[in-house]
Amino acid sequence: TAEPAEPQDPAQADEVAPSSQGEKLLIFDLASEKYAIPIHDIAQIIDLPPTTPVPNAPGFLAGIFSMRGKIISIIDVARRLGLENAAPEAPKVIVVDILQDHFGLLVDRIDQVVDVNLATLEPPPEGFKSMAQDFVEGVFHHRGRAVGFLNLPMFLAFEV
């Protein structure tokens, strides 16, 4: 059974503060929004490689590529969340390893790694698109901006 969470210091609610209970999260940009995922799920970050389209795939599946003998599906994170796609100059692919499955997450830009106490996450605000709300576990604040924490297992659960 889980122990009840200790009350959080309200001063930490406004900004991310390093904490011994913190989890390292990678913040990335999608158009004008910021999202984060745990770094322990990240295998590597690469430039967008040449990809092969997948016939009859969902619109958010940007294609596939081979990396060290493994086929990696690239998910356009902005499209999966129902956001406007800004066509960035130098998009990045975050290769994640979830339960031995590898996926590439196509993002506009990598921001930085921060420590976040996940117990301090707030519910997603009303302003999030309904599709994004399904995949965002909560939000935290960093440099005066709300950052959505993606629930990767839920985000990556889809049928092709």
Side-chain angles (χ1 to χ4, degrees):
T1 62
E3 294 290 319
E6 293 195 11
Q8 296 301 317
D9 178 358
Q12 287 186 342
D14 286 334
E15 287 296 320
V16 172
S19 134
S20 60
Q21 303 167 331
E23 175 149 5
K24 289 193 180 311
L25 304 180
L26 175 72
I27 298 175
F28 57 87
D29 296 343
L30 295 175
S32 62
E33 297 187 16
K34 292 189 178 289
Y35 291 87
I37 59 173
I39 64 167
H40 63 75
D41 291 328
I42 299 172
Q44 70 184 89
I45 299 171
I46 60 174
D47 291 327
L48 179 62
T51 60
T52 303
V54 178
N56 303 315
F60 59 81
L61 191 59
I64 58 173
F65 73 102
S66 178
M67 184 174 79
R68 293 192 288 275
K70 291 187 179 185
I71 299 297
I72 310 288
S73 298
I74 297 181
I75 297 169
D76 184 326
V77 179
R79 288 184 97 177
R80 179 84 166 123
L81 294 174
L83 304 173
E84 293 296 319
N85 216 342
E89 289 179 23
K92 296 291 183 189
V93 174
I94 304 168
V95 179
V96 295
D97 181 357
I98 304 285
L99 303 172
Q100 304 302 311
D101 284 332
H102 288 79
F103 292 92
L105 304 178
L106 180 62
V107 302
D108 294 354
R109 192 175 73 80
I110 302 299
D111 189 338
Q112 70 182 96
V113 174
V114 295
D115 282 312
V116 176
N117 182 340
L118 297 182
T120 65
L121 290 178
E122 300 170 11
E126 292 296 320
F128 271 59
K129 291 193 173 218
S130 60
M131 191 178 300
Q133 281 183 330
D134 293 342
F135 301 125
V136 174
E137 201 165 308
V139 297
F140 61 93
H141 298 277
H142 179 68
R143 294 184 179 162
R145 302 270 317 266
V147 179
F149 176 62
L150 282 184
N151 178 330
L152 272 181
M154 192 172 238
F155 181 81
L156 296 172
F158 60 89
E159 300 283 325
V160 177

